[in-house]
Amino acid sequence: MHFKAKFWLQFSLFNLLLVALLGLLMRYKIGFEFPLFNQKNLQHSHSHFAFAGWISHTLMVLMVGFLERKGPSPEASGALRVTKMKRTFSYNTLLTANLICAYGMLVFFIIQGYAALSIVFSTASIVVAYVFGYQFWKDLKQVNPEWLSVHWFKAAIFFNVISSFGTFVLAFMMITKNIHQNEYLASIYYYLHFQYNGWFFFACMGLLFHFFNLKSTEHPFFKKVFWLFFAACIPAYFLSTLWLNLPIWLYVLTVVAAFVQSYAWFKLLAVLAQTRKGYFENYPFFLRYIILFVAVACSIKIVLQLGSTIPALSQLAFGFRPIVIAYLHLVLLAVISLFLLFYIYVNHYFYISKPIKFGIILFSVGVFLNELVLAVQGIASFSYTLIPMVNELLFAVAVLLVSGIAVTTYYSIKKVKIPPVL
């Protein structure tokens, strides 16, 4: 029994298309008349499915792919072959369960919002994440710890587990109908922070270190950068809660965490430029363009985090919805989603054809324009200036995003007679 990563990644691409279609529908409802669905329910379905059906599913598949490549050879002994078969069956079962939960949330959040069935599926997805984390942590023992990806993956699992505590607090508030605005927002931001700055970011860094084949013996900073990010991740949560008037000692700790992350990120870029110079020379231009796009987007995210430590800027940012949406899309689209697409195609899980290249580039252009329009709208909000036709512009950008990922998905999944362009 072999783990068929390509099979599971086809679901990933299709799920990303569904996420984009939900985003398009929400943009249409804002700009035009379409009373059929509740906007809040669509938003819940969009966000939960994006996290579980697209990002988490894809990370799980690619992390298991890492085990397949860096774990012991199954031909070494009969016992190892049996172990691998059991492991493959286990991960196939977990990925199936995760997809069932994701599609359940996709449907029932649209139909009923936060209600019995949607809560059942979202709770079940947390249980699946726990079981996957336990299984994967155990299997990482078979990988040589000199591969630094191991540390990043373990941290990713840790942050995925603790992020769920935020959802438990939210569920308790809703069940008891004892909702306080500050605690409600703090719980949401807690979950979001440890998902995209914890689980998503650390898993992607593990994949990045795997792509570069980085070992602890190559450069002393490669091991140090992990501990810098890990130590800063927990206090960095309070960057999302500066509007709560934190005690001065906690505010200072939060500022230090932002500076540590900034130093770690830009130092890592410098070290990679030094040790992996010319690494991308044999890769297609569009993949080099995508990873550069991701690096710039992540750098902007890090700088914005540092800027948010200024209380006046933080209050302004959290006070205007377009700014919050722009920041979330910067992280989830420009950094996480584009990196995952880069990693999938740079590792040849699918052949790279001209339509696929066109689709990914079109998607990346849509991501850029989405950030640009949202940023302009957010900055204009500071002076309460209305941007004409902004909703129509965002709808047009959403059409670009859907078109790009639709082309990519179609030519990746469907067997078409197009020679690969490598």
Side-chain angles (χ1 to χ4, degrees):
M1 182 183 292
H2 298 285
F3 180 75
K4 297 179 180 179
K6 181 178 178 179
F7 169 78
W8 293 110
L9 290 173
Q10 290 175 337
F11 282 99
S12 294
L13 295 174
F14 179 70
N15 291 351
L16 178 56
L17 176 59
L18 291 180
V19 171
L21 285 169
L22 281 175
L24 177 66
L25 180 56
M26 287 192 292
R27 283 296 171 199
Y28 186 86
K29 282 179 66 66
I30 293 172
F32 310 95
E33 290 292 329
F34 191 78
L36 185 57
F37 298 109
N38 179 282
Q39 183 78 342
K40 195 72 175 176
N41 291 355
L42 284 175
Q43 182 183 326
H44 288 313
S45 176
H46 173 75
S47 58
H48 281 81
F49 188 71
F51 277 40
W54 157 234
I55 300 177
S56 290
H57 172 79
T58 307
L59 288 174
M60 289 178 184
V61 174
L62 297 177
M63 287 164 67
V64 176
F66 166 82
L67 280 180
E68 294 284 299
R69 297 186 182 192
K70 297 300 185 186
S73 171
E75 287 77 23
S77 69
L80 279 176
R81 281 197 295 272
V82 172
T83 300
K84 183 173 182 179
M85 288 177 65
K86 290 180 178 178
R87 187 178 73 193
T88 300
F89 176 79
S90 176
Y91 286 123
N92 285 338
T93 303
L94 286 169
L95 288 168
T96 301
N98 182 68
L99 283 177
I100 291 171
C101 294
Y103 286 118
M105 288 186 283
L106 172 71
V107 173
F108 288 106
F109 271 113
I110 292 176
I111 294 173
Q112 58 182 206
Y114 266 105
L117 287 173
S118 56
I119 291 174
V120 165
F121 280 109
S122 58
T123 304
S125 72
I126 293 172
V127 174
V128 171
Y130 285 178
V131 177
F132 174 86
Y134 169 78
Q135 181 67 44
F136 191 80
W137 190 295
K138 187 172 67 172
D139 290 336
L140 278 177
K141 294 176 182 177
Q142 301 172 19
V143 180
N144 188 335
E146 281 194 3
W147 296 110
L148 292 170
S149 297
V150 172
H151 305 295
W152 291 96
F153 288 143
K154 285 183 176 180
I157 291 167
F158 168 75
F159 288 124
N160 194 20
V161 169
I162 68 170
S163 73
S164 63
F165 301 162
T167 61
F168 295 149
V169 173
L170 286 172
F172 177 79
M173 288 182 188
M174 291 180 178
I175 291 169
T176 61
K177 300 193 183 302
N178 185 24
I179 300 175
H180 300 284
Q181 186 67 7
N182 284 350
E183 286 85 350
Y184 177 79
L185 289 175
S187 298
I188 290 176
Y189 288 134
Y190 176 94
Y191 171 74
L192 289 174
H193 171 75
F194 287 112
Q195 279 285 292
Y196 64 71
N197 286 324
W199 162 229
F200 298 165
F201 177 77
F202 278 77
C204 285
M205 289 295 285
L207 295 173
L208 182 70
F209 272 53
H210 175 225
F211 169 69
F212 283 121
N213 287 310
L214 298 179
K215 290 185 176 181
S216 55
T217 53
E218 285 197 56
H219 194 286
F221 189 74
F222 287 146
K223 193 169 185 178
K224 184 178 179 182
V225 70
F226 165 77
W227 290 110
L228 289 172
F229 271 113
F230 184 82
C233 188
I234 292 178
Y237 157 65
F238 295 101
L239 288 167
S240 305
T241 61
L242 292 176
W243 40 271
L244 283 176
N245 297 318
L246 302 175
I248 187 64
W249 68 268
L250 191 53
Y251 171 71
V252 170
L253 183 62
T254 305
V255 174
V256 170
F259 273 103
V260 167
Q261 287 186 330
S262 299
Y263 165 76
W265 173 251
F266 289 106
K267 175 71 173 178
L268 176 63
L269 289 182
V271 173
L272 284 175
Q274 174 190 349
T275 59
R276 289 297 184 270
K277 187 177 180 180
Y279 196 80
F280 291 98
E281 286 181 358
N282 295 323
Y283 289 100
F285 171 78
F286 92 103
L287 286 176
R288 286 181 277 166
Y289 150 76
I290 293 297
I291 196 62
L292 179 62
F293 190 114
V294 171
V296 171
C298 194
S299 300
I300 293 172
K301 170 198 176 284
I302 295 289
V303 171
L304 288 176
Q305 281 183 180
L306 188 60
S308 71
T309 59
I310 303 171
L313 288 179
S314 178
Q315 289 177 1
L316 273 176
F318 284 104
F320 294 95
R321 183 175 174 80
I323 296 293
V324 176
I325 295 174
Y327 179 76
L328 288 174
H329 282 180
L330 173 69
V331 176
L332 299 173
L333 283 178
V335 178
I336 304 298
S337 292
L338 280 177
F339 173 77
L340 291 177
L341 288 173
F342 164 82
Y343 188 88
I344 287 169
Y345 289 97
V346 84
N347 282 286
H348 305 293
Y349 285 108
F350 301 98
Y351 286 119
I352 302 171
S353 62
K354 288 183 179 179
I356 288 175
K357 289 168 62 177
F358 172 77
I360 293 177
I361 290 173
L362 185 62
F363 183 77
S364 70
V365 170
V367 171
F368 172 77
L369 292 176
N370 187 63
E371 289 302 311
L372 180 63
V373 175
L374 284 172
V376 170
Q377 184 186 23
I379 294 169
S381 300
F382 294 162
S383 59
Y384 298 97
T385 301
L386 292 176
I387 305 296
M389 303 289 289
V390 69
N391 290 326
E392 290 78 5
L393 280 172
L394 287 170
F395 174 75
V397 170
V399 171
L400 275 183
L401 288 167
V402 170
S403 301
I405 199 59
V407 171
T408 303
T409 301
Y410 176 80
Y411 284 99
S412 296
I413 293 177
K414 186 175 176 62
K415 292 182 179 180
V416 291
K417 294 180 180 179
I418 297 179
V421 180
L422 299 179

